[in-house]
Amino acid sequence: MNDCVFCQIAAEKIPCFKIYEEEDFLAFLDINPWVEGHTLVIPKKHYRWVWDMPEESVGQYFAVVNKVANHYRQVFKTEFVMSWIYGFEVPHAHIHLFPNSRGKIAFYPKEKLPMLTNKEGEKLAAALKLK
Ligand code: AMP
């Protein structure tokens, strides 16, 4: 979809702080994070909701989410990588990952961190990148 911000990120028409990429999926830092390393994992193809994805793609999608989550468990030296599926703000399927989030997120977090600047985002994405 032309006016979808995550479709534009997937098509590299607008930039993101990339963490991991496969042919059909992409993980990048949330620009306005709840916790450090807050990451979104998306299918590049547009679906409004995660639940709209065809059954044959869901396993591969979850394998990518699993890969990034386990990478963060190592990098952040924690068991805790919490996750949400929301979709209030951006109408393109995405799964939120919150590394090292124990005690930082309750049922609904109180406050987001400041928006990532280019410098912060690039530095963090370089440190967290999954090759
Ligand atoms: P939600 O749709 O409620 O699950 O939340 C969408 C998330 O996308 C929010 O946490 C936003 O901060 C994040 N977001 C929106 N635009 C961008 C962008 N251009 N790059 C990275 N994250 C974004």
Side-chain angles (χ1 to χ4, degrees):
M1 274 171 62
N2 283 342
D3 58 347
C4 167
V5 63
F6 288 178
C7 282
Q8 291 182 35
I9 286 175
E12 297 184 344
K13 287 186 180 146
I14 64 173
C16 70
F17 303 117
K18 194 186 291 180
I19 297 296
Y20 181 67
E21 184 169 21
E22 290 190 3
E23 193 179 344
D24 296 328
F25 303 96
L26 180 66
F28 55 92
L29 294 177
D30 192 299
I31 193 83
N32 191 192
W34 289 107
V35 296
E36 186 186 54
H38 177 178
T39 294
L40 304 171
V41 188
I42 65 165
K44 290 184 184 174
K45 188 168 175 197
H46 186 88
Y47 301 100
R48 169 61 183 95
W49 300 101
V50 169
W51 321 125
D52 294 331
M53 289 178 68
E55 202 177 325
E56 61 272 18
S57 303
V58 170
Q60 203 192 346
Y61 183 31
F62 203 74
V64 172
V65 177
N66 183 62
K67 194 166 184 170
V68 177
N70 278 310
H71 168 65
Y72 283 165
R73 291 170 91 195
Q74 288 191 339
V75 172
F76 286 86
K77 298 185 176 33
T78 180
E79 266 189 77
F80 281 81
V81 178
M82 290 163 69
S83 181
W84 289 342
I85 297 178
Y86 265 38
F88 287 132
E89 196 184 312
V90 177
H92 180 122
H94 54 281
I95 295 180
H96 295 254
L97 288 177
F98 303 101
N100 202 18
S101 41
R102 187 178 196 183
K104 294 182 189 155
I105 298 186
F107 177 68
Y108 198 89
K110 293 188 184 76
E111 261 178 37
K112 283 190 157 187
L113 299 174
M115 295 278 275
L116 280 180
T117 63
N118 262 346
K119 203 172 161 195
E120 289 163 349
E122 276 165 18
K123 192 172 165 204
L124 190 58
L128 298 180
K129 202 170 278 296
L130 171 59
K131 281 141 203 144

